[in-house]
Amino acid sequence: MAPVLALWLLAAAATPAGAEWKAGVARAVITPREPIWLAGYAARTKPSAGVLTDIHAKALALEDGSGTTSVLVAAEILGFTRKMSDEIAQRVRRRYSIPRERLVLSATHTHSGPVTGQLLRPAYMLDPPQQEVIRQYTSWLLDQIVELVGHAVADLAPARLDFEQGLAGFAVNRRRVGARQRPGPVDHDVPVLAVRSPEGKLRAVVFGYACHNTVLAGYEINGDYAGFAQEELEKEYPGATALFVAGCGADANPLPRRSVELARMYGRILAAAVREVLEGKMKLLRTPLVAAFEYADLPFQNPPARAQFEAALNDKDPSHRRHAQLMLETLDRQGRLPESYPCPIQVWQLGPDLTWIILGGEAVVDFALRFKHEYGWDTTWVSTYANDVFAYIPSLRILKEGGYEGGGAMIAYGRPAPFRPSVEEIVAQKVDELARRTRGQR
């Protein structure tokens, strides 16, 4: 008998149904206290101007039947960088003894939240004072998240975990905009993890959807449609905390868009999909929670010659000029450009009935559809925008098609070239390795 399967059976026999878990929840407002550059759009020309809604970081701590604790953090920002995540993980390990594989740092990818760290720096027209505002905000945010993890762990109490999936339909494959001949795959699933007290009261709900948080593009801080969905659920279930985890929607947009009314409407639609799941029959999840975390090196194609970067210093597009300057500085400092980038890949296996695959970067929908087909449509959850948002991760199909997700976005991300055609299989092989390990399949 596989060791992990044996552990599940022993845990199930030793404890009554639903009584194996403990859960703790915490939340913090992370709205910037002063005007700050908002992330996600290169077209912005000034810092934020007001707050439409507060943004939050939320944490869910889970202790399984073995007494091992894992923590999910969901923050309403565009993304964590590798440097940010490494610092948080190191401090969390020191203070709370939570290892790296048991900490998920997920971003909702709102495009109406503050710039953090060095994420997408070539895209933004930042002067030194704004750079300092971002530096100070990022430092403050890291402190808030470390404290948040501690509050969630301190809140641990007996809990029941249930899982099921619903559907919502407002995501549109954005690559068809202007190119209707392209295929338009989407992932409309709405995975829902309910955390209830032993008496059945909802304490927390974690839910996802595979679609960019890009309804709004103005200068007011807000959490976009996912923020409104969380707000709606927390009103409907007083005392519960709602956490949004973004799915593989790197090539999906909410359409139509560009109004607060639409953002609120999509939030209500998504909340209704979650509510339908919560009020229906859900699968009881048993312990343990088995976790794995590793990096997969994703190779870049050969970069342009130095002369091309020098020529790009005169490009009419300012982001191209900033990218070229960054590449030349890297060449001068290191003598060469990086040949690959380490993509964080994480798998949480919750009992025998939920495989949660958590990818860094901006993974396109093909990854979610592939992994659900391979590991189970009803028992697999695929998330992205976690631990390090460093570039788009295209499938082989999208690499061949080209376009923004296929390589154009590497300019804004400050990468030397698109990924090689092997990128999809490298990610898939690492996911399979971790999935087999956490499922006890050697």
Side-chain angles (χ1 to χ4, degrees), residues 47 146 155 301 321 426:
V146 173
D155 189 54
Q301 298 175 24
R321 297 197 298 270
I426 291 172

Side-chain angles (χ1 to χ4, degrees), residues 141-161:
L141 176 66
L142 301 191
D143 292 341
Q144 296 302 301
I145 290 175
V146 173
E147 292 295 326
L148 187 71
V149 171
H151 291 317
V153 172
D155 189 54
L156 286 168
R160 170 192 174 110
L161 269 60

Side-chain angles (χ1 to χ4, degrees), residues 326-348:
L326 177 62
M327 295 299 99
L328 290 169
E329 289 173 358
T330 303
L331 283 168
D332 290 342
R333 185 174 61 253
Q334 300 179 0
R336 61 186 179 88
L337 296 174
E339 297 178 353
S340 64
Y341 192 92
C343 172
I345 297 177
Q346 197 167 8
V347 175
W348 278 10

Side-chain angles (χ1 to χ4, degrees), residues 6 108 111 129 131 138 172 199 203-204 279 294 311 319 383:
T108 69
H111 282 45
Q131 292 176 19
T138 302
V172 177
E199 296 75 31
R203 294 186 58 202
E279 302 301 325
E294 288 189 6
S319 64
S383 302

